[in-house]
Amino acid sequence: MGREESPEYLRMSLAAAMTLDFAPGTFYRGACLRCVNLLLTYTSGCAAKCAYCGLSGSSKAKQGKGRFIRVSWPAFALDAVVAAIAERQDKVQRICISMLTNRRAVQDTQTVCRRLREALDIPISLLISPTVLHHGDLDVFREAGADKVGVAIDLATPELFDRYRGTGVNGPHKWDTYWQCLEQALEVFGSGNAGSHFIVGMGETERQMCAVMQRVRDMGGRTHLFSFFPEADSALEDNRRPPITQYRRIQMARFLIDESISHAGSFTFDAQDKVTNFGVSPQKLEDIVERGTAFCTSGCTGRDGKVACNRPYANSRPGPGIRNYPFQPEAADIVRIRQQMDVARF
């Protein structure tokens, strides 16, 4: 074809390109990427029109050239990607293939997954687009070699989902389709092997976000949490990020829910629906803050059982304002987190 399109070509996150020596650079504080994030690519781009995404079909950026979760995604030949990962199999804990909402994406996801599985002994996750899937596709993905699936519901309520992904932007996505797909993915891949992404700071209350994370956990899934970042060229490029205090509370809520330490039904909220009690003792809460794990990136695990998809600085710039820690927080980080959480008031 003469065009850099999938399945022969894939985009990868800047962090992955740096890890595989396709791009120069070093990671702030020595963060180490453990998951190679790959993205299908087409000159026709993505048919979705999600208001917060730089890859959106309604984006002001040129199709296929936008930014995605804050960073650029350069394109490389699949054969070169496989060869580069093969040289680093001892360092890469997982590979994740992300679909676009494009009619070619289902077959190409299968093709790329099989190619990676044939060449590499590394677990593979898929971030799927339910809108373009048909009955049986999830089974084929599993047969192609994937062991985990992510469904990016993103918004905490059906109204927000429709406003930013559905009829509000003339987009094709439907709330019920995404939840049905998550349920089917858990049936096909098993409990704990499918989960959802949610973005904090899209207009939802803390009560609503806690409730939707609990819904995923009750189904057998887990939540991968993002803090809204205004993507350049997206419809929401001028919106503000959520306060760090809000994000820290939701990170704590996610950890307690996903680890079955507490339940959203045991949380209490104030008149603005902000969390005022997590249903655990002050000492238990302090112990969790002290460990710091609750504030690390949540994502798919690798062969060692630890989170592999740590996405260094994907939704916040490197520096003291880190939102998802891509490494275990140190003592100074814990002091900052404790202040941001205002642990004493719990």
Side-chain angles (χ1 to χ4, degrees), residues 21-35:
D21 290 334
F22 286 142
T26 57
F27 290 105
Y28 173 71
R29 288 180 59 177
C32 178
L33 181 71
R34 292 163 49 84
C35 176

Side-chain angles (χ1 to χ4, degrees), residues 96-329:
C96 183
I97 307 168
S98 295
M99 298 176 65
L100 294 181
T101 303
N102 187 296
R103 60 185 177 83
R104 293 169 50 187
V106 178
Q107 180 60 55
D108 290 343
T109 298
Q110 297 170 20
T111 299
V112 173
C113 188
R114 284 197 175 92
R115 175 76 175 90
L116 292 167
R117 169 55 58 231
E118 291 168 357
L120 304 165
D121 184 25
I122 299 174
I124 299 171
S125 295
L126 305 180
L127 182 58
I128 58 178
S129 179
T131 301
V132 296
L133 295 185
H134 297 92
H135 179 72
D137 285 337
L138 291 171
D139 294 286
V140 176
F141 288 158
R142 186 183 61 181
E143 292 166 4
D147 72 323
K148 292 182 182 291
V149 163
V151 179
I153 299 173
D154 288 350
L155 287 309
T157 71
E159 294 79 14
L160 289 170
F161 186 99
D162 194 51
R163 180 187 306 170
Y164 292 123
R165 309 197 72 184
T167 61
V169 290
N170 294 316
H173 297 322
K174 298 182 184 299
W175 171 264
D176 289 342
T177 299
Y178 270 65
W179 283 99
Q180 290 164 8
C181 184
L182 177 58
E183 183 176 15
Q184 292 164 4
L186 285 162
E187 292 174 358
V188 172
F189 288 87
S191 180
N193 292 321
S196 185
H197 292 188
F198 287 101
I199 304 173
V200 176
M202 297 296 294
E204 79 290 339
T205 66
E206 292 181 21
R207 185 194 294 269
Q208 289 169 334
M209 184 59 77
C210 291
V212 81
M213 292 190 296
Q214 188 65 60
R215 178 178 177 181
V216 172
R217 190 72 190 102
D218 290 346
M219 293 170 65
R222 290 179 175 270
T223 293
H224 303 167
L225 205 60
F226 293 77
S227 177
F228 169 75
F229 187 91
E231 297 276 13
D233 298 317
S234 73
L236 301 184
E237 64 178 345
D238 296 323
N239 283 32
R240 301 181 66 177
R241 294 186 298 167
I244 187 64
T245 52
Q246 175 186 352
Y247 193 61
R248 292 287 183 243
R249 287 192 293 272
I250 297 301
Q251 283 181 305
M252 175 60 74
R254 183 213 64 81
F255 182 81
L256 293 171
I257 290 169
D258 273 9
E259 298 303 317
S260 299
I261 297 171
S262 189
H263 190 285
S266 299
F267 296 177
T268 57
F269 303 85
D270 65 15
Q272 287 74 46
D273 280 344
K274 295 180 181 179
V275 182
T276 57
N277 190 290
F278 291 100
V280 297
S281 69
Q283 184 58 55
K284 181 68 172 179
L285 191 72
E286 173 60 33
D287 290 345
I288 293 172
V289 171
E290 185 65 29
R291 290 202 302 271
T293 307
F295 311 99
C296 294
T297 309
S298 52
C300 292
T301 54
R303 289 169 292 183
D304 59 3
K306 300 177 181 178
V307 171
C309 191
N310 59 337
R311 308 182 294 275
Y313 318 114
N315 62 183
S316 62
R317 296 184 178 91
I322 297 173
R323 300 226 163 185
N324 291 345
Y325 282 86
F327 46 75
Q328 191 66 29

